Amino acid sequence: MNSRSLLSLLILCSLCPLWLSSASAQKEAKAPAGGVQHIYKTVGDLKLPLYLYAPIARKSTGQAPAIVFFFGGGWKNGSPAQFEEHCKFLAKRGMAAITVEYHVSSRHNVKVEDCIADARSAMRWVRGNAKKLECVLPTKNDKRESLN
């Protein structure tokens, strides 16, 4: 084996771990720091988390208002970490802030309908666990009543 072939082989071998790590990194989005992880849906072996930033400065003892963030990326890519700073900001001001991981085409080879199904599942999970999380989300009826 000549030195040029050996050098090419060494370069290829040194890049292989980088390629493998980037391929596995595509399966998981960057998780935000500071939020409490809850699994809202499991699809096969994939567990889809959402991250709750509990209200820090609450003026009342009732349920805190909640906001749920879904990262942007055209259903192709993105990460719940996109709204990490927003969640921290709102939690400091008394809101329960939630950022959600969902299927995207670049990591999970899914269609838009699957992404929307995940978002609906996340909202159902938040509403179903609102009492335990000590938060409240407005309902469609709340919106109509506030407009009248």
Side-chain angles (χ1 to χ4, degrees):
M1 186 180 271
N2 65 25
S3 62
R4 197 171 188 167
S5 297
L6 185 59
L7 179 61
S8 296
L9 183 61
L10 286 172
I11 290 172
L12 182 61
C13 288
S14 66
L15 292 177
C16 188
L18 294 174
W19 176 75
L20 289 174
S21 66
S22 67
S24 65
Q26 287 183 340
K27 292 293 179 190
E28 295 181 20
K30 180 182 177 206
V36 176
Q37 184 185 70
H38 297 274
I39 303 301
Y40 72 90
K41 184 177 185 178
T42 302
V43 181
D45 292 336
L46 180 66
K47 295 180 186 307
L48 292 172
L50 55 79
Y51 301 88
L52 169 69
Y53 292 77
I56 296 168
R58 291 192 52 194
K59 294 181 180 173
S60 69
T61 57
Q63 292 179 308
I67 185 166
V68 180
F69 290 104
F70 295 90
F71 58 85
W75 314 111
K76 296 176 186 170
N77 55 38
S79 161
Q82 176 181 351
F83 286 105
E84 179 180 347
E85 294 305 316
H86 297 75
C87 290
K88 289 177 181 177
F89 178 87
L90 293 170
K92 286 180 185 174
R93 284 151 184 83
M95 286 186 76
I98 300 163
T99 182
V100 179
E101 167 67 16
Y102 57 92
H103 284 103
V104 291
S105 63
S106 65
R107 290 191 297 272
H108 308 108
N109 193 27
V110 294
K111 297 182 179 177
V112 171
E113 293 80 9
D114 300 314
C115 306
I116 294 169
D118 291 344
R120 294 179 70 142
S121 295
M123 293 303 294
R124 276 193 298 273
W125 189 93
V126 171
R127 286 187 195 281
N129 289 279
K131 195 173 228 175
K132 180 176 81 172
L133 301 174
E134 297 182 354
C135 68
V136 63
L137 286 168
T139 64
K140 291 177 188 175
N141 292 335
D142 293 337
K143 184 177 179 183
R144 283 188 211 123
E145 289 171 9
S146 67
L147 294 176
N148 292 330

